[in-house]
Amino acid sequence: MILTEGGNVFKDAATKAPATQRINRNDVPTTVQWLEQITGLNLMDAMVGSTGQRDTSGDIDLAIDSNQITKDAVLGTLVNWCKSQGIPEEEIMNRKAKGKNPAKLDNWIDQTGIEIHFKCPINGDAKNGFVQVDFNFLTVMDWSRFMLAEIGRAHV
């Protein structure tokens, strides 16, 4: 049995097509460095899975130590960034899962289980398109990073 998870969380409201794209390997570090600037977190060492291993990646997976920072703290930082960009509040959080706005799919942030998903501008600039960033909040970092690294290598 092969476990395959993931997929594109963000869809364009009009076309239902993915609102994010694959990211070129060369753009991964600069996009993660941009995320470091807005979150204040050391994220270059947090990349896991197949992120940056191939010519392109479908998303950026980051392992976040939930013993050091909470999911709510990172969520608040991302929401505040969206607000600072003039994004209307009703477009920030994906509420379709809660039935509050089922027709609205083109939001910027979604939460599932231990993850926050963020529609991230590549290199911090929307002109470059968007990539899905998955912040994975983990409690046992050594084991979790090992498991996520192994899963990522299995797909390479």
Side-chain angles (χ1 to χ4, degrees):
M1 179 173 75
I2 297 175
L3 175 64
T4 57
E5 293 184 359
N8 197 296
V9 171
F10 303 102
K11 308 285 186 208
D12 181 272
T15 66
K16 308 295 188 273
T20 58
Q21 64 189 45
R22 296 186 70 79
I23 185 170
N24 292 324
R25 181 185 323 181
N26 293 339
D27 290 324
V28 170
T30 50
T31 300
V32 172
Q33 288 167 348
W34 177 81
L35 280 167
E36 287 182 331
Q37 291 174 13
I38 67 168
T39 64
L41 300 172
N42 177 8
L43 300 174
M44 289 299 291
D45 296 330
M47 291 186 283
V48 292
S50 61
T51 299
Q53 300 297 314
R54 297 184 193 168
D55 290 340
T56 65
S57 294
D59 63 4
I60 296 175
D61 292 310
L62 302 170
I64 307 299
D65 187 344
S66 62
N67 298 304
Q68 301 294 317
I69 189 162
T70 67
K71 185 176 170 185
D72 286 341
V74 174
L75 179 64
T77 298
L78 295 173
V79 167
N80 287 337
W81 178 84
C82 289
K83 289 178 180 178
S84 76
Q85 302 305 300
I87 298 166
E89 191 154 346
E90 66 273 6
E91 294 180 14
I92 295 173
M93 290 296 298
N94 190 343
R95 305 216 189 281
K96 71 181 182 298
K98 296 180 179 74
K100 294 182 180 178
N101 196 3
K104 190 68 173 171
L105 300 175
D106 56 350
N107 299 96
W108 288 74
I109 301 170
D110 196 3
Q111 297 184 77
T112 56
I114 64 167
E115 294 181 312
I116 294 174
H117 309 286
F118 179 56
K119 185 172 75 173
C120 179
I122 295 172
N123 293 319
D125 189 342
K127 293 176 190 166
N128 298 320
F130 298 91
V131 65
Q132 180 173 311
V133 174
D134 297 329
F135 293 87
N136 297 278
F137 290 82
L138 310 166
T139 55
V140 183
M141 292 303 291
D142 290 342
W143 176 249
S144 298
R145 288 178 65 77
F146 168 76
M147 288 304 296
L148 289 169
E150 291 302 310
I151 290 168
R153 279 196 280 277
H155 295 291
V156 173

